[in-house]
Structures are given as structure tokens and as C-alpha cells.
Amino acid sequence: MVVFFVIVAFASVVVDGLPKKAKGPEQSLNQQAAEAAPPVDEKGQPQSPPSSSSSSTGRSGDHQQAPPPLGIVVAVVDDWGFGDVGYHDRSLHTPEIESLAASGIVLEQFYSACACTPSRAMLMTGRYNIRNGMQDSVIHSTEPRGVPLDEKFLPEKLREAGYATAGVGKWHLGMFQEAYLPENRGFDRWYGIYTGGGSHTGHFSVSQPFTVRGGLGASQTWQGYNLWEDLAPSPDNAGSTHSTHLYTRKAVEYVSTFVNNKWFLYLAYQAVHDPMTVGDDRYVRETPCVNQTDSARATLCGMVAEVDDGLKTLRLAIGEVSWSQTLMVVVSDNGGVLSHGSSNSPLRGEKGTYFEGGVRVPAVVSGGYVEAALAARGKATLVSTALSHLVDLHATILDLAAYDDDDEALDGQSLWSHLAFGEDPPRTELLLNLNSDLFAGSGALRLGNYKLVVNGEPNEAAVYSKVRKRLAAPTATLDEDTFGKILADAHAQAIGQTRVYLFDIASNPRELDDEDCENAPACRDLYDNPDYRAVRDALRARWAEYQREAAPSTFAWEDDGPLANPDNFGGVWAPWRDADSQPNARYVGTKGLPAITPTVTTPLQYSRTFNFAAADSTWATTASLRALTLTISLLSFSVGAVASWLLRPPAGSSAWRRLP
């Protein structure tokens, strides 16, 4: 049994009001650290926090709970950075999101994965990605991979609880077989793209480059239309309306069909993922975005404003009566991309990193259902600094929907008792991710105020690219030693020397690692600091436990390349493998079947009974069309008679052996 020392108990508080714009979240976290002294045992050692790893569904306490919400909306904004919202940066134009925050709850320490697929997988399953092999990389366009089918998704569970379900927007959880599509994983209705992104107005997606093995020819890419609705390509592929407006319009359409029924809407905007473009430049010209001095930031600002306006349109469509019974959550799937104009300020890092800027994202829990709960507490708005995560949203929604499955082993913990009734936060520990050895075992773990980071910049995209280029070898055979060398070279080039950090996030939310200051926890990496050895050992022990628990990665650098080419399917990205996982653009043939041998006693020797060369000569020298016609007729009869005689079955036998 692993016994580890205690870390600082999690100093999480729920405070009234929104964070002050001039002070920002950093000051509130420092105040938190100053006001909450670390609890110790009778020997002065830090106490060990309880594990919150995967043993329950995290139900609320014994409070008198209101009936389940009539409507549940989870809106995901793609690549939306921590500093890309008005309550963190006043230069952004997000009046609707700020209104939702002012009448709801802001989660200031809310975490996602550092990239698209892993985040969406955890939201849908309520489980860390190490449980099902989804801990490595995003799903690529021609990659035959998806979240394992034995995982039950959130809409499947809600449908069992009596909710109608609809999904709109970006999927990115598997599409190579129909079984992985949203329509087959719990959604009654679906409109959007199955791929990981694409043109907002041209409605096409482009694959990663593919090199024919052996270096034959140049790299190839494929592109095709990407919009689907209910298992059929959408006519909207032919239009040029921006994805944000298409998704808002379809969300409103679906909500209008949910009258008097319990319903769940998953609205996954493509924005603000690249390509960076607004659907209507008035969202830049006629908003405060016009004051942005950086052009990339101005476009990003306009895209966020467009999403914000879409959320307002949806809220109005839900209506006053239904709104009072609706829960709405607005979150991001990972940190913003700095080169796209995003900001994760004041946090370090960006999308694709395990520093705070890559995994700590905006999150608002609101709606009339939440307003009523806060009113019962005498509150108008709350800002929670409790540790929270996408898996917790899953558990919280199931809790409110009164879905109960005792066999379900979730990593998520319901936040509702904490948010609605002021109970202590449900978790003091949070695994941000733990990559497999394919990606150098990178990742991050929070335990109380402390955070262990292994390779803060894992460069998954670079590792993926470097290895796949080396795998484009002359033969398909690959031994373990050769692959190990290829992988080691890719890690050395993309990551370099493994680097492990230890930060006190309460004192050092920007994860400064080598600054000169009097208070080391506020500006330095503490991993080699002897004063924090007990903390480091506790985190390392827990990290080792997660390593032992991790399932093998589903990632294998497998690529179906041209077999997934949209041109094979009418120019649209579509599932390219059948239910047996055989590519539809490939003929399996008779490989693997027993040999097929005719049972006739004599080989067919047409030449011994009919001379085709002689027949050609006869036809060429026939004097008249009448004679030619007669000759052909006679020859046809003769060939038919000879063939019938030759193919006759032996006495007492069938003509051909039947295939097994």
C-alpha cells in the first residue's frame, strides 16, 4: 500500500460577486493562499487529502433537491482561452456570457484537457482518458480510431433518464465506422461535422498529409465537405453561411421541438478554432473589438462576439417559461492559441501544453434553474475557486437529471451540493492527463494547491508528425527495436530532456519557474526545493498509482490514407469502414477463405474442340453478310454445345463444390 504525506488541504472558497477586472484572478488566489494555512498533523507534517479517483458518481448530499431541470444546454467554445471573455478582459465583447455569469456561477479553477478530442471524450464519458486509452493525441482525419464503444456517453444516459437529445457542431470523437457517430452514441438528432475542424464558410475539411510508404510520390492531402444532419450530408454544404450562425440556427430549431419534454442540447461551436474568420464583420466594426490594436486579436474578438450573440439568440428561443427550468453551461475545450489572437493571460502556456494556459479555461454555469438555486441561498451570483473539471460536469448533470447507475465508475464528482448548498468542494485532486510512453509519459496532476507537471510542452503534434514520416518505410514490417529508436529520436527532437516541475498554484498561478524573489513558492519551480520534498513525494506517489491504472493507448499511428478519401464517398467526409472494420474503398476478396477447386474430372481445354484462330479466318473471308450471319449463328451453337458437354457434372456429383 502506498502511504503518502499530506499536502496542503485544498483552500477552496466560494465568494460573492464576479472577479474585479482590475485585480484579476491572480490576486484572489494569492489572497486565498494567505488566508488558509496548510493543516498539519500532531507532528507538523502536511495531511494527506482523500483520493477522488474513480469510485463513485459523485451524487449530491441529503439536501432537498428540486425536480430535474427541464432543459440542459452544454455549449463548448473551441480553443477559447482563459483571457478571451469579458469578465477577464474588458476589451472583449461578451455581454451575454457576462450576463449568464452575473446570474449564475463562474468556475475560476475549471480544467479541461490540452486539446480537442481528449477534452470531449472526458465530457462525454465522465472518466479520465487513461481509463479507456484516449490519453494520446487528437483523432486525425484518416485515422481509424474513436472513443471505445463500451463507453456509455452522456446523451445515452440522459436518454435513459427520459431526455430527448440533440447535438450540434463539432464531434471529433471518431467517424471511421458508423458505430462511432453521434447518432449512434445517444443523440436523437445531430447536425454538424464529424471531423476536427474545417472552413467556417466553405464547409470542407482537409486531411493531414499522407505519404505513400516507400517514398513513392509526393505527399497527398484530401478534402471534402463536412456538414451532416441525421446521417445524411447537409444541403448547407453548398452554402457559405458561417458555422457559428448555422449552429445557432439549428440549435434554435431543435429546441423548438422540445416543447413540454425534458431535453438535452450539446452545442459545440467550431469557433474560435482556426481558420480565423468572422461570419459578419460587423461583430468587429460595430463592437469594442474595433479598438483592438492587433489584427489577429480583433478577429478573435469578433468570433467570440459572434458566439456570444448566438448564445443570446438561443436563450431567447428557449423562452421565459422554459428558461426558468433550464441549466446552461458554457465552457472551452482547451486553452487558446496565441498565434490566433487568443489570450490565456495571466496564465502561462497555450493549447497543447500542460501549463495552466493550456488546460485552465473559462466556465460558466447558469440558467433559470441555477438562478433559483442561488436565490434560495440568498445569492445573486457566485465565483467558485474549487477545483473542477469536464468530468465533473458529466457527473453534475447526471446528478441533477436523477440518473443513477451504481455500476458506473466515474472520475467526475457532482459539484451541485457545493455550488447550490455551499458544501465543501468534492475534490482536492485532479489528473489533467497522463500520456502513454508513446508521447513520453507527459501530463499534469493537481493535489491541493500543488501541481506536478511532466513535460509542460509535450509537443504531441510534432511527435506524431516525426514518427509517421519515419514509418513511411519501404516495407510494412516493423520490429520493436526499430520502433523504439524511431520513437526515442522523435522525443529527443520534439521534447528534448524530460522536465518535471512542481508549482504552488495558489501562490504562483503563472507558473514562474526561475524568477528572483524572496518568496520561492510565488516565483519558482519547487521540484528540487528540499522544503517541499514531502509534497513532491506525495505527488510522485499518486502519479505512479495513475501510471499503474492506465489502460493501453488506442493510438497506433494507423492511417487509412486514400481509403478515407472523400472522393470515394461523393466528395463528403464519411465513415469509410464497414461494421467489420474493413475499408469500404477496398475489396477484401477471397483472402482467408479455403481454396476454391472445381470438381470436374477433366481440365477445360477449349483449344482441343474449337480453334478460335480458324474461326477468325473464316469470318474474315466470308463473302456475304448473309453467310457471315449464318456462320456466327452456327459457331455460337457449336460453342454452347461444346461448353455444355465439357461442364457436365460427373455422375453422382454436384457441378461445383459449395463454398463453406
Side-chain angles (χ1 to χ4, degrees):
M1 175 182 295
V2 178
V3 178
F4 53 99
F5 295 104
V6 170
I7 306 220
V8 174
F10 177 63
S12 169
V13 295
V14 178
V15 296
D16 293 318
L18 290 173
K20 299 296 189 292
K21 303 301 184 300
K23 298 180 180 179
E26 180 181 350
Q27 184 179 25
S28 65
L29 287 174
N30 287 332
Q31 290 173 341
Q32 170 193 337
E35 295 168 0
V40 295
D41 60 20
E42 63 274 13
K43 296 181 180 180
Q45 294 292 331
Q47 294 175 345
S48 178
S51 171
S52 56
S53 62
S54 62
S55 58
S56 75
T57 52
R59 305 290 177 222
S60 289
D62 298 327
H63 299 284
Q64 185 68 36
Q65 191 155 311
L70 180 67
I72 301 172
V73 179
V74 175
V76 178
V77 186
D78 205 348
D79 292 358
W80 187 34
F82 189 80
D84 294 338
V85 62
Y87 59 75
H88 284 159
D89 182 347
R90 275 298 179 200
S91 71
L92 273 290
H93 183 67
T94 56
E96 180 64 18
I97 295 172
E98 291 175 74
S99 175
L100 293 171
S103 60
I105 303 165
V106 175
L107 304 178
E108 276 292 86
Q109 288 202 86
F110 183 86
Y111 287 88
S112 65
C114 68
C116 309
T117 297
S119 282
R120 293 159 202 272
M122 289 191 286
L123 173 61
M124 287 294 160
T125 65
R127 284 152 50 84
Y128 293 146
N129 287 323
I130 62 165
R131 311 295 182 199
N132 50 40
M134 296 302 295
Q135 63 267 52
D136 291 334
S137 188
V138 299
I139 295 175
H140 301 88
S141 301
T142 56
E143 182 184 358
R145 187 167 67 106
V147 179
L149 296 176
D150 57 0
E151 290 282 358
K152 184 183 287 188
F153 277 14
L154 179 60
E156 294 181 82
K157 298 173 184 179
L158 290 175
R159 192 157 61 182
E160 292 176 5
Y163 282 78
T165 60
V168 176
K170 172 177 167 177
W171 182 237
H172 209 189
L173 293 172
M175 60 166 288
F176 72 104
Q177 288 177 267
E178 282 196 5
Y180 291 85
L181 300 183
E183 294 91 335
N184 295 315
R185 306 211 71 167
F187 285 107
D188 299 321
R189 304 294 309 275
W190 173 265
Y191 175 90
I193 66 172
Y194 299 145
T195 57
S199 169
H200 292 288
T201 55
H203 310 306
F204 61 85
S205 298
V206 181
S207 73
Q208 72 278 11
F210 179 88
T211 303
V212 176
R213 198 174 65 248
L216 303 175
S219 295
Q220 305 173 62
T221 58
W222 298 279
Q223 74 175 46
Y225 291 114
N226 55 21
L227 284 173
W228 286 76
E229 183 168 19
D230 299 338
L231 296 175
S234 170
D236 292 332
N237 281 309
S240 59
T241 302
H242 195 280
S243 67
T244 296
H245 299 290
L246 287 178
Y247 296 160
T248 298
R249 181 190 307 163
K250 191 60 64 173
V252 169
E253 177 187 325
Y254 287 164
V255 165
S256 68
T257 68
F258 294 145
V259 180
N260 300 322
N261 294 311
K262 293 195 296 183
W263 54 272
F264 167 64
L265 173 68
Y266 174 57
L267 175 54
Y269 284 109
Q270 274 177 252
V272 295
H273 196 291
D274 67 331
M276 305 306 292
T277 179
V278 293
D280 186 336
D281 66 4
R282 288 180 298 176
Y283 285 97
V284 177
R285 288 189 292 104
E286 299 178 10
T287 70
C289 299
V290 73
N291 298 318
Q292 297 286 348
T293 56
D294 178 78
S295 61
R297 183 68 171 165
T299 300
L300 181 285
C301 179
M303 293 177 75
V304 172
E306 220 158 17
V307 168
D308 185 85
D309 199 38
L311 294 173
K312 176 182 178 180
T313 300
L314 177 60
R315 174 179 58 80
L316 293 174
I318 293 172
E320 292 184 6
V321 176
S322 296
W323 182 251
S324 66
Q325 302 175 67
T326 296
L327 170 75
M328 178 179 278
V329 180
V330 185
V331 298
S332 176
D333 63 340
N334 47 249
V337 180
L338 302 184
S339 63
H340 295 166
S342 225
S343 169
N344 303 302
S345 181
L347 308 177
R348 175 182 180 179
E350 60 180 318
K351 177 182 179 178
T353 74
Y354 291 122
F355 295 120
E356 293 287 277
V359 292
R360 185 168 160 191
V361 296
V364 175
V365 181
S366 192
Y369 191 86
V370 174
E371 293 175 25
L374 293 179
R377 288 187 59 191
K379 306 288 185 180
T381 185
L382 291 175
V383 176
S384 171
T385 57
L387 273 181
S388 53
H389 189 271
L390 284 166
V391 295
D392 298 330
L393 287 185
H394 182 107
T396 303
I397 290 170
L398 294 186
D399 184 10
L400 292 177
Y403 176 89
D404 194 10
D405 185 351
D406 293 335
D407 295 330
E408 188 70 38
L410 298 184
D411 290 295
Q413 300 289 319
S414 176
L415 301 169
W416 191 244
S417 290
H418 166 61
L419 299 178
F421 305 111
E423 289 190 357
D424 290 339
R427 68 163 67 249
T428 57
E429 174 186 316
L430 179 58
L431 179 67
L432 297 174
N433 194 35
L434 199 170
N435 287 114
S436 75
D437 290 343
L438 296 176
F439 290 87
S442 305
L445 171 67
R446 278 287 304 263
L447 200 54
N449 287 331
Y450 292 98
K451 180 181 176 184
L452 183 76
V453 180
V454 180
N455 296 327
E457 298 178 358
N459 285 332
E460 284 186 342
V463 173
Y464 165 79
S465 177
K466 292 179 183 301
V467 172
R468 72 192 305 269
K469 287 180 180 178
R470 294 281 298 276
L471 293 180
T475 67
T477 58
L478 184 70
D479 60 73
E480 188 172 341
D481 289 341
T482 300
F483 178 69
K485 292 176 182 177
I486 291 174
L487 196 60
D489 288 345
H491 290 169
Q493 295 174 39
I495 301 173
Q497 187 76 23
T498 294
R499 176 75 187 271
V500 185
Y501 304 84
L502 174 63
F503 296 112
D504 179 347
I505 295 300
S507 300
N508 185 12
R510 293 185 291 167
E511 294 169 300
L512 303 173
D513 59 23
D514 61 356
E515 299 295 315
D516 184 14
C517 66
E518 295 181 1
N519 182 23
C523 69
R524 292 182 194 158
D525 169 18
L526 305 173
Y527 189 79
D528 293 322
N529 189 318
D531 294 338
Y532 291 86
R533 186 166 298 160
V535 173
R536 184 189 69 183
D537 290 347
L539 281 156
R540 288 175 56 175
R542 194 70 186 103
W543 186 257
E545 289 184 17
Y546 280 122
Q547 287 178 315
R548 289 190 291 270
E549 296 171 9
S553 176
T554 61
F555 189 83
W557 275 279
E558 192 174 6
D559 194 335
D560 281 346
L563 300 178
N565 183 355
D567 287 345
N568 297 326
F569 308 100
V572 182
W573 284 103
W576 64 88
R577 288 196 180 192
D578 61 22
D580 294 324
S581 200
Q582 292 294 336
N584 295 330
R586 169 176 173 262
Y587 293 102
V588 179
T590 60
K591 185 178 181 180
L593 293 177
I596 303 172
T597 306
T599 59
V600 293
T601 56
T602 305
L604 302 182
Q605 297 178 8
Y606 291 104
S607 60
R608 70 186 175 96
T609 59
F610 185 75
N611 190 320
F612 284 97
D616 291 340
S617 176
T618 300
W619 294 338
T621 58
T622 300
S624 66
L625 180 60
R626 186 181 187 88
L628 176 61
T629 303
L630 176 60
T631 302
I632 292 174
S633 300
L634 290 173
L635 290 173
S636 298
F637 174 80
S638 177
V639 171
V642 171
S644 297
W645 181 82
L646 284 171
L647 295 176
R648 75 192 190 284
S653 69
S654 60
W656 295 93
R657 184 181 304 152
R658 292 184 178 273
L659 291 177

